[in-house]
Amino acid sequence: MIKVLLAEDQGMMRGALALLLGLEEDIEVVAQVGAGDEIVPAALDALPDVALLDIELPGRSGLDAAADLRTRCPDCRVLILTTFGRPGYLRRAMEAGAAGFLVKDGPVEELAAAIRRVLAGETVIDPSLAAAALSAGPNPLTAREMDVLNAAADGATVADIAARVYLSESTVRNYLSSAIGKTGTRNRTEAVRAARRQGWL
């Protein structure tokens, strides 16, 4: 049996996925969690072969948890399953060590086949998303620019951002200006929106 951990914050979706995957003769869902910070403890407890992770979860993202699973549970293969087919998310998932990346609107048979394929050592990526990621190119933002944009997302002042990321106000202004330039936008609100749309944040 292929043991699967399922991380999905919407209870109905999580239950439906577990039920559908349970109908497969060779797949057993051994753990279900609804928050990102529950993934690693559940994996250490259940020792799944494959972790099926959503990206946007309360607590922490599935992408962050995927990176932790790579070191804490190296025998567990990670398959990202998300509503948001953003090129930047795919790139970040691969950097975090994910073996696959699928969008949620595919048929369940495709998901079951992908679980088997990643367990066999293959990399499985939604073809349309792979093409979009290649055409989008790499994330142009530095880690610090991303930190500053994340801190600016709720409309915080430069002083607030500086306090959150432990930088001077002038340095924050420089990072914001650079991020605005790289995203081709007019202000930080648009820069945050553009970076999220690409999956860079």
Side-chain angles (χ1 to χ4, degrees), residues 101-156:
F101 194 105
L102 296 174
V103 288
K104 286 181 184 173
D105 59 3
V108 73
E109 296 82 16
E110 192 177 290
L111 176 59
I115 289 170
R116 294 181 189 104
R117 288 173 61 196
V118 298
L119 190 60
E122 293 182 47
T123 299
V124 181
I125 298 170
D126 182 272
S128 59
L129 192 57
L134 286 172
S135 64
N139 178 356
L141 301 172
T142 66
R144 268 320 212 172
E145 287 164 352
M146 289 187 288
D147 288 344
V148 168
L149 280 183
N150 271 321
D154 62 358

Side-chain angles (χ1 to χ4, degrees), residues 1-5 18-30 46-50 115-116 119:
M1 291 293 280
I2 301 170
K3 296 188 294 182
V4 173
L5 177 148
L19 190 65
L20 290 167
L21 289 172
L23 295 174
E24 300 291 323
E25 289 184 4
D26 58 341
I27 294 175
E28 179 188 4
V29 177
V30 293
L47 301 175
D49 301 305
V50 177
I115 289 170
R116 294 181 189 104
L119 190 60

